[in-house]
Amino acid sequence: MQPGSSVSLVARRHGLSPSLLFSWKRRMIEGGHQAVHADEDVVGTSHVRDLEKRVRDLERLLGRKTMEVEIL
């Protein structure tokens, strides 16, 4: 079996392009290298988006409370 042929088989089985799988692999490796270099954990983008939304919500709430205090 040639290198990469198993990737082609998996891609075909799941209806994906082999280049997409290689791209995902490259991104995973690059993300891992960055995390190791920064000595940090790898965090999923969905988790980051959830945290960013929470920060926006808390900033909005803080703004409202600050305005209430100024009014009082």
Side-chain angles (χ1 to χ4, degrees), residues 21-71:
L21 292 181
F22 285 116
S23 172
W24 287 347
K25 179 182 175 184
R26 180 181 45 78
R27 287 181 183 178
M28 181 194 66
I29 290 171
E30 288 172 358
H33 287 310
Q34 289 174 1
V36 168
H37 182 68
D39 196 26
E40 296 176 350
D41 292 334
V42 176
V43 179
T45 55
S46 61
H47 184 64
V48 171
R49 278 194 301 267
D50 291 344
L51 291 173
E52 287 172 340
K53 181 186 180 308
R54 180 153 171 75
V55 167
R56 281 192 308 274
D57 293 345
L58 290 171
E59 286 174 337
R60 203 172 297 124
L61 180 61
L62 176 62
R64 242 184 267 138
K65 293 297 178 186
T66 302
M67 196 167 45
E68 288 175 9
V69 167
E70 289 176 3
I71 290 171

Side-chain angles (χ1 to χ4, degrees), residues 4-18:
S5 62
S6 60
V7 171
S8 297
L9 176 67
V10 170
R12 198 174 24 239
R13 184 176 294 159
H14 295 283
L16 301 169
S17 133

